[in-house]
Amino acid sequence: MADVILKTGETCWRQAQAERFALIADAADYFAALRAAMIRAEKTIFLIGWDFDLRIPLDPQNHGDEWPRKLADFLNALVKRKRGLEIRLLQWNLGVFKTLARGSTPLFILGMVGHRRITFKLDHAHPLGAAHHQKIVVIDDALAFCGGIDTTIGRWDTRSHLGKDKRRDSPWG
């Protein structure tokens, strides 16, 4: 079946075998792993998602290191401390309509990540009725996170799945 679906240069850029694979089920573990990997990034971070809210804390449990907790501040600190690092965000353009009511429109996002080595684009290359629903992060062309967790509000969770966990609250109250 893979031979039918995956055609190098046609349905995919290339095919390669991963040396390691891990499954991350809960957003608390995902955000912690993502944050640690981004701290180790040297050249590039690509964030592709249906939705981003750069006000969310990547570290709601507050591990107390010197890195900012909120995503926008964290991304800005990364490029300031790592002179060769570029960060690119790609968001589905129709997903933006959802963000209008909560103040995280592309102009708001650009205002939060104003560094010249952080770029934000809207993806509009979809057939009518299609959705850009990928959640992908690629770091230094060496590590990829592929899955179902956006870096936005309401996604952070632990294995306890508490109904009223303050660490999952909206950043604007």
Short mmCIF file of all heavy atoms in Angstrom, two decimals, residues 8-64:
data_model
loop_
_atom_site.label_atom_id
_atom_site.label_comp_id
_atom_site.label_asym_id
_atom_site.label_seq_id
_atom_site.Cartn_x
_atom_site.Cartn_y
_atom_site.Cartn_z
N THR A 8 7.80 9.33 -4.42
CA THR A 8 8.78 10.39 -4.28
C THR A 8 8.69 11.38 -5.44
O THR A 8 8.66 10.98 -6.60
CB THR A 8 10.20 9.79 -4.17
OG1 THR A 8 10.24 8.90 -3.05
CG2 THR A 8 11.24 10.89 -3.98
N GLY A 9 8.62 12.65 -5.09
CA GLY A 9 8.52 13.70 -6.09
C GLY A 9 7.11 13.97 -6.57
O GLY A 9 6.85 14.95 -7.26
N GLU A 10 6.18 13.11 -6.20
CA GLU A 10 4.78 13.30 -6.62
C GLU A 10 3.87 13.51 -5.41
O GLU A 10 3.21 14.53 -5.30
CB GLU A 10 4.32 12.09 -7.44
CG GLU A 10 2.96 12.29 -8.05
CD GLU A 10 2.55 11.09 -8.90
OE1 GLU A 10 3.42 10.47 -9.53
OE2 GLU A 10 1.35 10.78 -8.91
N THR A 11 3.81 12.54 -4.52
CA THR A 11 2.97 12.66 -3.33
C THR A 11 3.77 13.00 -2.09
O THR A 11 3.20 13.28 -1.04
CB THR A 11 2.18 11.36 -3.07
OG1 THR A 11 3.11 10.30 -2.84
CG2 THR A 11 1.24 11.05 -4.22
N CYS A 12 5.07 12.94 -2.17
CA CYS A 12 5.93 13.31 -1.06
C CYS A 12 7.26 13.82 -1.61
O CYS A 12 7.63 13.52 -2.75
CB CYS A 12 6.16 12.14 -0.11
SG CYS A 12 7.04 10.74 -0.83
N TRP A 13 7.94 14.59 -0.80
CA TRP A 13 9.22 15.16 -1.22
C TRP A 13 10.27 14.06 -1.34
O TRP A 13 10.95 13.94 -2.33
CB TRP A 13 9.65 16.23 -0.21
CG TRP A 13 11.06 16.69 -0.36
CD1 TRP A 13 11.65 17.15 -1.51
CD2 TRP A 13 12.04 16.76 0.64
NE1 TRP A 13 12.95 17.50 -1.26
CE2 TRP A 13 13.22 17.28 0.06
CE3 TRP A 13 12.05 16.46 2.00
CZ2 TRP A 13 14.38 17.49 0.78
CZ3 TRP A 13 13.21 16.68 2.71
CH2 TRP A 13 14.35 17.18 2.10
N ARG A 14 10.38 13.26 -0.28
CA ARG A 14 11.31 12.13 -0.28
C ARG A 14 10.86 11.13 0.77
O ARG A 14 10.02 11.42 1.61
CB ARG A 14 12.74 12.59 -0.02
CG ARG A 14 12.98 13.07 1.39
CD ARG A 14 14.42 13.43 1.60
NE ARG A 14 14.60 13.83 2.99
CZ ARG A 14 15.77 14.02 3.54
NH1 ARG A 14 16.86 13.87 2.83
NH2 ARG A 14 15.84 14.39 4.79
N GLN A 15 11.46 9.97 0.73
CA GLN A 15 11.19 8.94 1.72
C GLN A 15 12.49 8.62 2.45
O GLN A 15 13.55 8.56 1.83
CB GLN A 15 10.66 7.68 1.05
CG GLN A 15 9.32 7.88 0.34
CD GLN A 15 8.82 6.63 -0.31
OE1 GLN A 15 8.79 5.57 0.31
NE2 GLN A 15 8.45 6.73 -1.57
N ALA A 16 12.39 8.45 3.75
CA ALA A 16 13.55 8.11 4.57
C ALA A 16 13.07 7.33 5.78
O ALA A 16 11.91 7.44 6.18
CB ALA A 16 14.29 9.36 5.00
N GLN A 17 13.96 6.58 6.36
CA GLN A 17 13.61 5.81 7.55
C GLN A 17 14.12 6.54 8.79
O GLN A 17 15.27 6.98 8.82
CB GLN A 17 14.22 4.41 7.48
CG GLN A 17 13.77 3.54 8.63
CD GLN A 17 14.08 2.08 8.38
OE1 GLN A 17 14.29 1.67 7.25
NE2 GLN A 17 14.09 1.31 9.43
N ALA A 18 13.28 6.69 9.78
CA ALA A 18 13.66 7.34 11.03
C ALA A 18 14.48 6.37 11.86
O ALA A 18 14.18 5.17 11.91
CB ALA A 18 12.42 7.77 11.80
N GLU A 19 15.49 6.90 12.52
CA GLU A 19 16.30 6.07 13.41
C GLU A 19 15.60 5.85 14.75
O GLU A 19 15.83 4.85 15.41
CB GLU A 19 17.66 6.73 13.64
CG GLU A 19 18.50 6.78 12.38
CD GLU A 19 19.82 7.51 12.60
OE1 GLU A 19 20.26 7.63 13.76
OE2 GLU A 19 20.39 7.95 11.60
N ARG A 20 14.76 6.81 15.15
CA ARG A 20 14.04 6.71 16.42
C ARG A 20 12.62 7.20 16.23
O ARG A 20 12.34 8.02 15.37
CB ARG A 20 14.72 7.55 17.49
CG ARG A 20 16.07 7.04 17.87
CD ARG A 20 16.78 7.92 18.90
NE ARG A 20 15.87 8.54 19.84
CZ ARG A 20 16.18 9.62 20.54
NH1 ARG A 20 17.33 10.20 20.41
NH2 ARG A 20 15.32 10.13 21.39
N PHE A 21 11.73 6.71 17.08
CA PHE A 21 10.32 7.10 17.06
C PHE A 21 9.80 7.05 18.48
O PHE A 21 10.14 6.14 19.23
CB PHE A 21 9.53 6.13 16.17
CG PHE A 21 8.03 6.31 16.27
CD1 PHE A 21 7.40 7.28 15.51
CD2 PHE A 21 7.27 5.54 17.13
CE1 PHE A 21 6.02 7.46 15.59
CE2 PHE A 21 5.91 5.71 17.23
CZ PHE A 21 5.28 6.67 16.45
N ALA A 22 9.00 8.01 18.87
CA ALA A 22 8.38 8.00 20.19
C ALA A 22 6.96 8.53 20.07
O ALA A 22 6.69 9.40 19.24
CB ALA A 22 9.17 8.85 21.18
N LEU A 23 6.08 8.01 20.87
CA LEU A 23 4.69 8.45 20.90
C LEU A 23 4.49 9.33 22.13
O LEU A 23 4.86 8.94 23.24
CB LEU A 23 3.75 7.24 20.96
CG LEU A 23 2.27 7.54 21.01
CD1 LEU A 23 1.82 8.21 19.73
CD2 LEU A 23 1.49 6.27 21.24
N ILE A 24 3.92 10.51 21.92
CA ILE A 24 3.61 11.42 23.02
C ILE A 24 2.10 11.61 23.02
O ILE A 24 1.54 12.09 22.04
CB ILE A 24 4.32 12.78 22.84
CG1 ILE A 24 5.83 12.58 22.74
CG2 ILE A 24 3.97 13.71 24.00
CD1 ILE A 24 6.59 13.85 22.39
N ALA A 25 1.45 11.26 24.13
CA ALA A 25 -0.02 11.27 24.16
C ALA A 25 -0.60 12.55 24.74
O ALA A 25 -1.64 13.01 24.28
CB ALA A 25 -0.52 10.07 24.95
N ASP A 26 0.02 13.12 25.74
CA ASP A 26 -0.57 14.27 26.43
C ASP A 26 0.18 15.55 26.12
O ASP A 26 1.41 15.56 25.98
CB ASP A 26 -0.57 14.03 27.94
CG ASP A 26 -1.43 12.83 28.30
OD1 ASP A 26 -2.63 12.86 27.98
OD2 ASP A 26 -0.90 11.86 28.87
N ALA A 27 -0.55 16.65 26.05
CA ALA A 27 0.06 17.93 25.66
C ALA A 27 1.10 18.41 26.66
O ALA A 27 2.05 19.07 26.27
CB ALA A 27 -1.02 18.99 25.45
N ALA A 28 0.97 18.09 27.94
CA ALA A 28 2.00 18.49 28.91
C ALA A 28 3.34 17.89 28.51
O ALA A 28 4.37 18.57 28.50
CB ALA A 28 1.61 18.06 30.32
N ASP A 29 3.34 16.62 28.17
CA ASP A 29 4.57 15.96 27.73
C ASP A 29 5.03 16.50 26.38
O ASP A 29 6.22 16.71 26.15
CB ASP A 29 4.36 14.44 27.63
CG ASP A 29 4.07 13.80 28.97
OD1 ASP A 29 4.46 14.37 30.01
OD2 ASP A 29 3.44 12.73 28.97
N TYR A 30 4.08 16.76 25.48
CA TYR A 30 4.41 17.28 24.16
C TYR A 30 5.03 18.67 24.26
O TYR A 30 6.09 18.95 23.69
CB TYR A 30 3.17 17.33 23.27
CG TYR A 30 3.38 18.07 21.97
CD1 TYR A 30 4.23 17.56 20.99
CD2 TYR A 30 2.77 19.28 21.74
CE1 TYR A 30 4.44 18.25 19.80
CE2 TYR A 30 2.97 19.98 20.56
CZ TYR A 30 3.81 19.45 19.60
OH TYR A 30 4.03 20.14 18.44
N PHE A 31 4.39 19.58 25.01
CA PHE A 31 4.92 20.93 25.15
C PHE A 31 6.31 20.91 25.78
O PHE A 31 7.19 21.68 25.39
CB PHE A 31 3.97 21.81 25.96
CG PHE A 31 2.75 22.29 25.21
CD1 PHE A 31 2.49 21.90 23.91
CD2 PHE A 31 1.85 23.13 25.82
CE1 PHE A 31 1.35 22.34 23.23
CE2 PHE A 31 0.71 23.59 25.16
CZ PHE A 31 0.47 23.19 23.86
N ALA A 32 6.53 20.05 26.78
CA ALA A 32 7.85 19.96 27.42
C ALA A 32 8.90 19.46 26.43
O ALA A 32 10.01 20.00 26.36
CB ALA A 32 7.77 19.04 28.64
N ALA A 33 8.58 18.42 25.66
CA ALA A 33 9.52 17.89 24.68
C ALA A 33 9.77 18.90 23.56
O ALA A 33 10.91 19.09 23.12
CB ALA A 33 8.99 16.58 24.10
N LEU A 34 8.71 19.57 23.11
CA LEU A 34 8.83 20.58 22.07
C LEU A 34 9.72 21.73 22.54
O LEU A 34 10.63 22.17 21.83
CB LEU A 34 7.44 21.10 21.69
CG LEU A 34 7.38 22.20 20.65
CD1 LEU A 34 7.92 21.71 19.31
CD2 LEU A 34 5.93 22.67 20.50
N ARG A 35 9.47 22.20 23.73
CA ARG A 35 10.25 23.30 24.30
C ARG A 35 11.72 22.92 24.42
O ARG A 35 12.61 23.69 24.02
CB ARG A 35 9.65 23.64 25.67
CG ARG A 35 10.23 24.83 26.35
CD ARG A 35 9.42 25.07 27.66
NE ARG A 35 9.94 26.21 28.36
CZ ARG A 35 10.95 26.16 29.23
NH1 ARG A 35 11.55 25.02 29.49
NH2 ARG A 35 11.36 27.25 29.84
N ALA A 36 12.01 21.75 24.95
CA ALA A 36 13.40 21.30 25.10
C ALA A 36 14.09 21.18 23.74
O ALA A 36 15.25 21.57 23.59
CB ALA A 36 13.44 19.95 25.84
N ALA A 37 13.37 20.66 22.75
CA ALA A 37 13.95 20.51 21.41
C ALA A 37 14.20 21.87 20.77
O ALA A 37 15.23 22.07 20.11
CB ALA A 37 13.03 19.67 20.53
N MET A 38 13.29 22.82 20.96
CA MET A 38 13.49 24.15 20.39
C MET A 38 14.67 24.87 21.06
O MET A 38 15.39 25.62 20.41
CB MET A 38 12.20 24.97 20.47
CG MET A 38 11.15 24.47 19.50
SD MET A 38 9.77 25.62 19.20
CE MET A 38 8.92 25.59 20.75
N ILE A 39 14.88 24.64 22.34
CA ILE A 39 16.04 25.22 23.02
C ILE A 39 17.34 24.69 22.41
O ILE A 39 18.32 25.42 22.29
CB ILE A 39 15.98 24.94 24.55
CG1 ILE A 39 14.85 25.77 25.18
CG2 ILE A 39 17.32 25.22 25.22
CD1 ILE A 39 14.52 25.42 26.61
N ARG A 40 17.34 23.45 21.97
CA ARG A 40 18.54 22.85 21.35
C ARG A 40 18.69 23.21 19.86
O ARG A 40 19.73 22.95 19.28
CB ARG A 40 18.50 21.33 21.50
CG ARG A 40 18.69 20.86 22.94
CD ARG A 40 18.87 19.35 23.02
NE ARG A 40 17.80 18.60 22.43
CZ ARG A 40 16.68 18.21 23.05
NH1 ARG A 40 16.50 18.53 24.32
NH2 ARG A 40 15.76 17.53 22.43
N ALA A 41 17.67 23.82 19.26
CA ALA A 41 17.73 24.15 17.83
C ALA A 41 18.89 25.09 17.54
O ALA A 41 19.19 25.99 18.34
CB ALA A 41 16.41 24.78 17.38
N GLU A 42 19.49 24.89 16.38
CA GLU A 42 20.61 25.74 15.97
C GLU A 42 20.33 26.53 14.71
O GLU A 42 20.78 27.66 14.57
CB GLU A 42 21.86 24.87 15.75
CG GLU A 42 22.36 24.18 17.00
CD GLU A 42 22.87 25.15 18.06
OE1 GLU A 42 23.39 26.22 17.69
OE2 GLU A 42 22.73 24.85 19.26
N LYS A 43 19.59 25.93 13.75
CA LYS A 43 19.42 26.56 12.44
C LYS A 43 17.98 26.95 12.13
O LYS A 43 17.71 28.09 11.77
CB LYS A 43 19.94 25.64 11.33
CG LYS A 43 21.42 25.36 11.44
CD LYS A 43 21.84 24.38 10.39
CE LYS A 43 23.29 23.98 10.60
NZ LYS A 43 23.68 22.88 9.75
N THR A 44 17.06 25.97 12.21
CA THR A 44 15.68 26.24 11.79
C THR A 44 14.66 25.55 12.69
O THR A 44 14.88 24.45 13.19
CB THR A 44 15.42 25.75 10.35
OG1 THR A 44 15.75 24.36 10.27
CG2 THR A 44 16.21 26.56 9.33
N ILE A 45 13.55 26.25 12.85
CA ILE A 45 12.36 25.67 13.48
C ILE A 45 11.20 26.00 12.56
O ILE A 45 10.93 27.17 12.28
CB ILE A 45 12.09 26.23 14.88
CG1 ILE A 45 13.26 25.93 15.83
CG2 ILE A 45 10.77 25.68 15.43
CD1 ILE A 45 13.13 26.61 17.19
N PHE A 46 10.51 24.97 12.06
CA PHE A 46 9.32 25.15 11.25
C PHE A 46 8.13 24.70 12.08
O PHE A 46 8.09 23.55 12.54
CB PHE A 46 9.38 24.31 9.96
CG PHE A 46 10.48 24.71 9.03
CD1 PHE A 46 11.67 24.02 9.00
CD2 PHE A 46 10.31 25.78 8.16
CE1 PHE A 46 12.69 24.38 8.14
CE2 PHE A 46 11.33 26.15 7.29
CZ PHE A 46 12.52 25.45 7.28
N LEU A 47 7.15 25.58 12.27
CA LEU A 47 5.92 25.26 13.00
C LEU A 47 4.77 25.37 12.02
O LEU A 47 4.52 26.44 11.45
CB LEU A 47 5.72 26.26 14.15
CG LEU A 47 6.78 26.24 15.23
CD1 LEU A 47 7.04 27.63 15.76
CD2 LEU A 47 6.36 25.30 16.33
N ILE A 48 4.09 24.27 11.81
CA ILE A 48 2.96 24.22 10.88
C ILE A 48 1.74 23.80 11.68
O ILE A 48 1.78 22.78 12.38
CB ILE A 48 3.22 23.20 9.74
CG1 ILE A 48 4.49 23.57 8.99
CG2 ILE A 48 2.01 23.12 8.80
CD1 ILE A 48 4.99 22.49 8.05
N GLY A 49 0.68 24.58 11.61
CA GLY A 49 -0.49 24.24 12.41
C GLY A 49 -1.77 24.85 11.91
O GLY A 49 -1.79 25.79 11.11
N TRP A 50 -2.83 24.31 12.41
CA TRP A 50 -4.16 24.80 12.12
C TRP A 50 -4.39 26.10 12.88
O TRP A 50 -5.04 27.01 12.41
CB TRP A 50 -5.16 23.72 12.52
CG TRP A 50 -6.58 24.06 12.27
CD1 TRP A 50 -7.21 24.08 11.05
CD2 TRP A 50 -7.56 24.42 13.23
NE1 TRP A 50 -8.52 24.44 11.22
CE2 TRP A 50 -8.76 24.64 12.54
CE3 TRP A 50 -7.54 24.55 14.60
CZ2 TRP A 50 -9.92 25.01 13.20
CZ3 TRP A 50 -8.69 24.92 15.25
CH2 TRP A 50 -9.88 25.15 14.55
N ASP A 51 -3.82 26.17 14.09
CA ASP A 51 -4.02 27.32 14.95
C ASP A 51 -2.79 27.52 15.83
O ASP A 51 -2.15 26.56 16.25
CB ASP A 51 -5.26 27.09 15.82
CG ASP A 51 -5.67 28.31 16.63
OD1 ASP A 51 -5.26 29.43 16.27
OD2 ASP A 51 -6.40 28.14 17.61
N PHE A 52 -2.45 28.77 16.09
CA PHE A 52 -1.40 29.14 17.04
C PHE A 52 -1.96 30.22 17.94
O PHE A 52 -2.65 31.13 17.48
CB PHE A 52 -0.16 29.73 16.34
CG PHE A 52 0.57 28.76 15.47
CD1 PHE A 52 0.44 28.82 14.10
CD2 PHE A 52 1.38 27.79 16.02
CE1 PHE A 52 1.12 27.94 13.29
CE2 PHE A 52 2.06 26.90 15.21
CZ PHE A 52 1.93 26.97 13.85
N ASP A 53 -1.67 30.15 19.21
CA ASP A 53 -1.91 31.26 20.12
C ASP A 53 -0.61 31.48 20.86
O ASP A 53 -0.23 30.67 21.71
CB ASP A 53 -3.06 31.00 21.08
CG ASP A 53 -3.50 32.27 21.79
OD1 ASP A 53 -2.61 33.08 22.15
OD2 ASP A 53 -4.70 32.48 21.98
N LEU A 54 0.08 32.53 20.49
CA LEU A 54 1.42 32.76 21.00
C LEU A 54 1.43 33.28 22.44
O LEU A 54 2.48 33.49 23.02
CB LEU A 54 2.18 33.72 20.07
CG LEU A 54 2.34 33.18 18.65
CD1 LEU A 54 3.08 34.19 17.79
CD2 LEU A 54 3.05 31.85 18.64
N ARG A 55 0.25 33.45 23.04
CA ARG A 55 0.17 33.88 24.43
C ARG A 55 0.19 32.71 25.40
O ARG A 55 0.34 32.91 26.60
CB ARG A 55 -1.10 34.70 24.64
CG ARG A 55 -1.10 35.97 23.82
CD ARG A 55 -2.44 36.63 23.83
NE ARG A 55 -3.41 35.81 23.11
CZ ARG A 55 -4.67 36.14 22.90
NH1 ARG A 55 -5.13 37.28 23.35
NH2 ARG A 55 -5.47 35.35 22.22
N ILE A 56 0.03 31.50 24.90
CA ILE A 56 -0.03 30.35 25.81
C ILE A 56 1.34 30.07 26.41
O ILE A 56 2.37 30.29 25.77
CB ILE A 56 -0.55 29.07 25.12
CG1 ILE A 56 0.44 28.60 24.04
CG2 ILE A 56 -1.95 29.27 24.60
CD1 ILE A 56 0.30 27.15 23.67
N PRO A 57 1.37 29.58 27.65
CA PRO A 57 2.65 29.15 28.21
C PRO A 57 3.00 27.76 27.69
O PRO A 57 2.16 26.86 27.72
CB PRO A 57 2.41 29.15 29.71
CG PRO A 57 0.94 28.95 29.86
CD PRO A 57 0.30 29.55 28.63
N LEU A 58 4.22 27.59 27.20
CA LEU A 58 4.68 26.24 26.86
C LEU A 58 5.01 25.48 28.12
O LEU A 58 5.14 24.27 28.09
CB LEU A 58 5.94 26.31 25.98
CG LEU A 58 5.75 26.40 24.49
CD1 LEU A 58 7.09 26.41 23.78
CD2 LEU A 58 4.86 25.29 23.96
N ASP A 59 5.16 26.20 29.21
CA ASP A 59 5.56 25.60 30.47
C ASP A 59 4.60 26.01 31.59
O ASP A 59 4.98 26.75 32.49
CB ASP A 59 7.00 26.04 30.79
CG ASP A 59 7.56 25.38 32.04
OD1 ASP A 59 6.98 24.39 32.50
OD2 ASP A 59 8.57 25.88 32.54
N PRO A 60 3.34 25.56 31.53
CA PRO A 60 2.39 25.98 32.56
C PRO A 60 2.75 25.47 33.95
O PRO A 60 2.29 25.99 34.95
CB PRO A 60 1.06 25.37 32.11
CG PRO A 60 1.26 24.83 30.77
CD PRO A 60 2.72 24.76 30.51
N GLN A 61 3.60 24.46 34.01
CA GLN A 61 4.01 23.91 35.31
C GLN A 61 5.17 24.71 35.89
O GLN A 61 5.59 24.48 37.01
CB GLN A 61 4.38 22.45 35.16
CG GLN A 61 3.21 21.63 34.64
CD GLN A 61 3.51 20.16 34.53
OE1 GLN A 61 3.23 19.43 35.47
NE2 GLN A 61 4.08 19.74 33.43
N ASN A 62 5.71 25.65 35.11
CA ASN A 62 6.77 26.56 35.52
C ASN A 62 7.97 25.82 36.12
O ASN A 62 8.14 25.76 37.32
CB ASN A 62 6.24 27.62 36.49
CG ASN A 62 7.23 28.75 36.66
OD1 ASN A 62 8.23 28.84 35.95
ND2 ASN A 62 6.95 29.61 37.61
N HIS A 63 8.79 25.32 35.23
CA HIS A 63 9.99 24.60 35.66
C HIS A 63 11.10 25.53 36.12
O HIS A 63 12.14 25.08 36.57
CB HIS A 63 10.47 23.66 34.54
CG HIS A 63 9.55 22.50 34.37
ND1 HIS A 63 8.60 22.46 33.37
CD2 HIS A 63 9.40 21.37 35.08
CE1 HIS A 63 7.92 21.34 33.47
NE2 HIS A 63 8.37 20.66 34.50
N GLY A 64 10.90 26.83 35.98
CA GLY A 64 11.77 27.81 36.60
C GLY A 64 13.14 28.00 35.97
O GLY A 64 14.06 28.44 36.66
#
